[in-house]
Amino acid sequence: MERTQNPLSDLERIDWLRLIHTRNVGPHMFIKLIDRFGTAAAAIDAPPELSRRAGGRRKFTIPHRDSIVAEFEALKAASDTAIGLYDPDYPETLAAIADPPPVLFLRAT
């Protein structure tokens, strides 16, 4: 997936946060899931299937939506933000490295 002209919506951003906070989903797996399923929302449904394909060796524990919504609301309340790898504001040089962080947390100054 390539950078888009439009930033992630709040709902998409929450799904990205849920996916990156999923146990056994690191930057490499995150990117593979987004590339394969197109959206974080679709990828969130994939870990049980992927776990079965891996012979059950990987257990994916997806955080509850309510906890991530609370985290997202706390970010907004502090005027902080989270930007996704394919957001237009994500630093190009960081995006170019192997396994870049899928989400950057930016503190308001």
Side-chain angles (χ1 to χ4, degrees), residues 25-48:
V25 173
H28 183 75
M29 175 64 79
F30 183 97
I31 292 167
K32 285 176 70 171
L33 288 168
I34 294 294
D35 286 347
R36 179 169 179 196
F37 295 98
T39 67
I44 286 169
D45 294 331

Side-chain angles (χ1 to χ4, degrees), residues 85-109:
L85 175 61
Y86 304 122
D87 273 331
D89 292 338
Y90 194 96
E92 288 183 35
T93 53
L94 188 57
I97 69 170
D99 298 330
V103 178
L104 297 177
F105 294 90
L106 305 175
R107 180 158 305 268
T109 55

Side-chain angles (χ1 to χ4, degrees), residues 3-10 12-13 82-84 86-89:
R3 287 173 178 254
T4 64
Q5 294 294 328
N6 301 317
L8 295 171
S9 70
D10 285 354
E12 291 170 317
R13 207 168 303 279
I83 60 170
Y86 304 122
D87 273 331
D89 292 338

